Amino acid sequence: MFRANFLFKFLKYKQNNGHDIVQYHSNENFELQDQINIEIIDIDKKISENSKALVEAQIVKFKSTFSRSNNFIEQIGKNVYKTKLEDSINWHQKKLKYLYLRRRELEINLEKLKGIYWINKIKRILNLILIGFFILSTLFIFLSGFMIIIYLLPLIILIFLVYLVSTKRY
């Protein structure tokens, strides 16, 4: 009896209290969107700063590569300087990669909040398909043109020989 009563209470249909008043706070969604937009702007600033620092480090590396120094002490300093410069460049590249990934995650979250995630996803997929189709059609046209030239090569040589024989003056 106890088991039957327990199962009845466990499986019993619960009535929906749909007459309760539900409050909708639409400004919370907008506040979250504003917060994500602010984070994206901050990440864009950091990306800009890191890109500038990376370009400066690459310029210094380029200048140090082509500078001429015959002094032994300068050569040793140059080798130490290059290793530190390479470490700096690698760090900036890793930081930029992380920032771009973080920015992409925030953009996806913002798209999900706005409800345009799947539309943008479909657009990206269609763009990839269009680019792939363009590349494949370009390769097909190039290769077919190349094959046509190879197949017509005996005819082109024959026309050229006929032209040489006909223009030869006796």
Side-chain angles (χ1 to χ4, degrees):
M1 182 74 176
F2 176 71
R3 288 183 193 164
N5 193 15
F6 176 74
L7 285 175
F8 178 73
K9 286 181 180 179
F10 184 74
L11 298 175
K12 185 173 105 174
Y13 176 74
K14 293 185 179 181
Q15 292 183 354
N16 186 8
N17 295 331
H19 51 80
D20 292 342
I21 296 175
V22 177
Q23 293 182 350
Y24 177 68
H25 301 288
S26 63
N27 58 353
E28 291 177 0
N29 194 12
F30 289 121
E31 288 174 3
L32 187 58
Q33 288 180 7
D34 291 339
Q35 182 182 3
I36 290 175
N37 280 332
I38 290 170
E39 287 182 37
I40 289 174
I41 291 170
D42 289 341
I43 288 176
D44 285 339
K45 288 178 184 177
K46 290 177 184 177
I47 287 173
S48 175
E49 292 170 1
N50 271 341
S51 297
K52 287 178 186 177
L54 182 62
V55 167
E56 288 174 1
Q58 292 285 1
I59 289 172
V60 170
K61 179 183 175 187
F62 183 74
K63 286 181 180 179
S64 68
T65 300
F66 291 108
S67 68
R68 294 185 178 227
S69 61
N70 296 330
N71 193 353
F72 179 71
I73 295 174
E74 287 180 10
Q75 288 286 343
I76 294 173
K78 193 177 191 182
N79 291 337
V80 171
Y81 187 72
K82 279 188 179 182
T83 57
K84 296 295 182 185
L85 193 58
E86 287 292 329
D87 292 342
S88 173
I89 288 172
N90 289 336
W91 182 84
H92 283 295
Q93 287 174 344
K94 287 179 185 176
K95 184 75 172 176
L96 276 175
K97 185 177 178 182
Y98 169 74
L99 288 172
Y100 277 118
L101 289 175
R102 179 69 179 137
R103 184 176 188 271
R104 184 69 195 134
E105 289 173 1
L106 288 173
E107 285 177 347
I108 288 172
N109 288 338
L110 186 63
E111 288 174 357
K112 286 180 181 178
L113 283 175
K114 289 182 178 179
I116 57 173
Y117 173 74
W118 286 108
I119 294 171
N120 289 341
K121 186 87 167 170
I122 291 171
K123 286 180 185 177
R124 282 186 221 109
I125 290 171
L126 289 176
N127 281 338
L128 286 175
I129 291 171
L130 184 66
I131 290 170
F133 177 74
F134 179 73
I135 289 171
L136 287 177
S137 62
T138 304
L139 285 173
F140 176 74
I141 290 170
F142 176 74
L143 290 176
S144 63
F146 185 70
M147 294 304 290
I148 289 171
I149 289 174
I150 289 175
Y151 283 121
L152 291 177
L153 195 58
L155 182 64
I156 293 170
I157 291 173
L158 181 66
I159 292 172
F160 183 67
L161 288 174
V162 168
Y163 174 75
L164 286 178
V165 169
S166 68
T167 58
K168 187 174 182 181
R169 311 250 176 188
Y170 293 106

